[in-house]
């Protein structure tokens, strides 16, 4: 793939879906039209999102553009993280092993369990009374 072409990938987590586009640039971030620090005020979310770039050693050399929908901030942050990791592997296959070791290419399949009938929540039961 040509080095000046944008690379696209999709990441998912819980109910969040992130479409990530990486372009060669100066390390600018755009998440739903906002800056990274503006969209994710928590440093923990920002660190998790930047992990794939750190592992690949391409911090500051790629512009990241993201459209993310659904879920909350944690689910969106992890969806973006997976999308960036997939895009970096599509750009350079040599980083796949280091991404795999860091657990960055594994999709976290955990979702909220549905509520069952006859119960107040998915697993909780109403209080049992013997008499």
């Amino acid at each position: 793939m040509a080095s000046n072409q944008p690379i696209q990938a999709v990441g998912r987590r819980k109910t969040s879906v992130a479409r990530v586009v990486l372009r060669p640039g100066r390390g600018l971030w755009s998440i739903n039209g906002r800056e990274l620090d503006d969209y994710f005020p928590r440093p923990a979310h920002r660190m998790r999102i930047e992990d794939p770039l750190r592992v690949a050693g391409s911090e500051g050399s790629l512009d990241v553009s993201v459209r993310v929908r659904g879920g909350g901030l944690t689910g969106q942050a992890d969806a973006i993280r997976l999308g960036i990791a997939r895009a970096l592997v599509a750009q350079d296959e040599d980083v796949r092993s280091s991404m795999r070791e860091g657990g960055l290419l594994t999709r976290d399949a955990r979702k909220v369990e549905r509520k069952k009938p006859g119960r107040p929540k998915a697993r909780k039961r109403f209080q049992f009374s013997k008499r």
Side-chain angles (χ1 to χ4, degrees):
M1 184 173 278
S3 62
N4 60 356
Q5 292 290 331
I7 297 111
Q8 295 184 1
V10 174
R12 293 183 183 89
R13 170 76 167 96
K14 292 187 176 183
T15 58
S16 300
V17 179
R19 294 189 307 258
V20 177
V21 179
L22 299 181
R23 292 183 182 88
R26 299 175 295 146
L28 301 176
W29 286 83
S30 172
I31 300 174
N32 289 351
R34 293 161 59 187
E35 289 290 322
L36 178 65
D37 298 338
D38 183 34
Y39 198 86
F40 291 105
R42 286 188 186 166
H45 288 152
R46 291 194 301 264
M47 284 175 48
R48 282 187 67 80
I49 290 172
E50 293 168 347
D51 274 348
L53 295 172
R54 245 181 261 120
V55 169
S58 54
E59 290 176 291
S61 63
L62 293 172
D63 289 345
V64 182
S65 173
V66 180
R67 297 297 294 173
V68 63
R69 297 184 61 177
L73 287 181
T74 299
Q76 288 185 353
D78 286 349
I80 293 169
R81 179 184 193 217
L82 178 61
I84 291 172
R86 286 178 173 174
L88 288 169
V89 168
Q91 179 187 25
D92 182 16
E93 195 66 33
D94 298 334
V95 299
R96 180 182 289 275
S97 60
S98 56
M99 293 280 187
R100 180 65 65 195
E101 284 175 17
L104 299 172
L105 292 177
T106 304
R107 195 250 199 242
D108 193 347
R110 294 177 294 173
K111 287 191 172 189
V112 175
E113 190 172 338
R114 76 175 191 87
K115 182 193 173 304
K116 313 300 188 305
R119 296 189 182 178
K121 296 198 303 187
R123 296 191 179 200
K124 185 177 182 179
R125 308 223 169 163
F126 290 109
Q127 184 173 5
F128 175 72
S129 173
K130 195 165 193 176
R131 287 176 188 82

